Each structure stands twice: as structure tokens, then as C-alpha cells.
Amino acid sequence: MRLYFVRHGESEANRTRTFANWTTGHPLTETGVAQAKALAERLETEGVTHLYSSPVLRARQTSAILSERLRCPVQVTHSLREFDVGRFEGTNDPDGWREYGEVVEAWTRGDSHRRIDQGESLDDIRLRFAPFVFELVERSQPEDRAVFVSHGGIYRAMLPLVLVNVAVGFATEHVLENTACVVGEVVDGALVCREWCGRPGPFA
């Protein structure tokens, strides 16, 4: 089985640096639409069999563009939603971004309980993301090709926990740009990273 972890196209929230992880609105920009179309073209020859999307608007719009080109229906799942930033949701407050950075840094040090007030901890995110991925892997067929359309923050936090050869520090330093892709492959029952945004390993 091969898995493609894709970040959505550029959105209005990206341009304004607004936390829009759980709220509605903030659609793709024209650039984001073009990015999604280019991604669909790149994936067209991969034989995609499953397409999963975060319920956040920018991810759903990206997935819809992929779905049309790849002729694969979209399955929306809460498991892929961007992580909850609590009281800073819907704002672009510099204090929010400062606290966000502090929480992410704490996670890289192993403090998985740390969270923004009213938001999710690393442990909370793991409980919804990791089982979803591993259950798909368990029931997969070798020819399956699954695309996940999600978000940069959750990928930075979660991919080192599901890809056995990706270090936390590497994922923190190499955050996915819009429509960038991480390719994983099931090898002897383990999920191994084969490519990170076009880059081969090592991912340490």
C-alpha cells in the first residue's frame, strides 16, 4: 500500500495568518486552486484508489479538485482536521502565534500534554489521527493508493508518530508547503516514508 499525505492549497487564512482550524470560511485563493489542479495532474498516474479529506473548507475544496481529476470519491473525516488552537481560533493575534510556537516546541521536547487554552494536546491529536491511519493500513490491499488531504500543523505533529523512519526534528524543520506531499509505503507491516516533499531519505 502507498499513502500520500498532502497539504491543502493556499487559502485566505494562509494569506492573513488567521487560525481557521475548526471554523467555516477561508476558501482557497486563486493560487490555491491552481496548486490543487497541478497536484491533481501529478497524482493522475498514481492509480489512486481512496481519497480522504479534513472537513475544513480549504481541504474539502482541494479534495474536490483532486476527486474530479482522479475520478475518486472523497471521504471526509474529522481525523484529518487541523489541530484545535482553542481560544485563538478565528484570530490572527501575534500572541496566539507566539503561544502556538511555544506549544509546538514543547511537543518536540516530549511534553505531549501541553496545549493552548481550550485547544488540543499532542495526545488528543494522536487519539484521532494515528488509529485512523493504522486501521486503514491494516485492512489495505497491496495495490491500494490512498491520498489524505489535511494540514501542515497536524502533519508536523503526527507524521513522525506514524512513519517509522521520520524524526520529530526533521518534521519540525521541514513543514509541508501548500499541496506538498509526503509519500509513505507499507513495508513488512510498518509505515515507511519514501519521499518528503520530493526529497528522499534519510529523514533524521
Side-chain angles (χ1 to χ4, degrees):
M1 183 186 187
R2 181 162 282 201
L3 299 89
Y4 303 83
F5 298 95
V6 172
R7 188 182 175 193
H8 58 80
E10 181 192 72
S11 73
E12 291 179 358
N14 295 142
R15 286 192 174 178
T16 60
R17 287 183 57 80
T18 298
F19 289 114
N21 299 353
W22 287 55
T23 50
T24 59
H26 303 283
L28 293 179
T29 62
E30 289 184 7
T31 296
V33 170
Q35 290 170 335
K37 289 179 178 179
L39 174 64
E41 185 175 352
R42 296 199 303 271
L43 292 174
E44 191 171 19
T45 59
E46 296 299 311
V48 173
T49 56
H50 299 81
L51 176 57
Y52 301 95
S53 176
S54 156
V56 179
L57 179 60
R58 55 190 179 272
R60 287 190 288 109
Q61 289 180 325
T62 301
S63 298
I65 292 169
L66 297 182
S67 177
E68 182 176 6
R69 183 71 178 257
L70 303 178
R71 297 178 177 81
C72 186
V74 181
Q75 300 179 61
V76 176
T77 173
H78 171 72
S79 301
L80 297 178
R81 185 188 290 274
E82 182 62 293
F83 72 82
D84 190 352
V85 294
R87 64 192 179 92
F88 292 113
E89 178 67 24
T91 76
N92 59 2
D93 188 338
D95 288 339
W97 284 103
R98 183 162 49 251
E99 186 169 342
Y100 174 95
E102 291 170 356
V103 168
V104 170
E105 183 179 354
W107 291 350
T108 65
R109 298 196 307 267
D111 183 0
S112 60
H113 302 296
R114 183 76 176 271
R115 70 181 74 221
I116 295 173
D117 183 31
Q118 303 173 34
E120 287 184 294
S121 69
L122 186 67
D123 291 332
D124 294 330
I125 306 166
R126 181 191 290 118
L127 285 174
R128 61 180 170 88
F129 184 91
F132 173 72
V133 173
F134 290 142
E135 286 170 13
L136 287 176
V137 168
E138 284 182 8
R139 64 174 188 261
S140 69
Q141 299 298 318
E143 66 273 12
D144 285 347
R145 301 290 182 267
V147 173
F148 303 86
V149 182
S150 189
H151 307 269
I154 194 170
Y155 282 152
R156 174 178 52 204
M158 290 292 105
L159 291 184
L161 300 182
V162 299
L163 297 169
V164 296
N165 59 332
V166 174
V168 172
F170 179 90
T172 301
E173 293 175 7
H174 299 84
V175 179
L176 277 68
E177 300 293 335
N178 294 117
T179 62
C181 180
V182 172
V183 181
E185 193 170 272
V186 180
V187 179
D188 296 329
L191 192 50
V192 177
C193 184
R194 292 301 194 194
E195 182 180 300
W196 188 285
C197 306
R199 169 179 176 164
F203 310 106

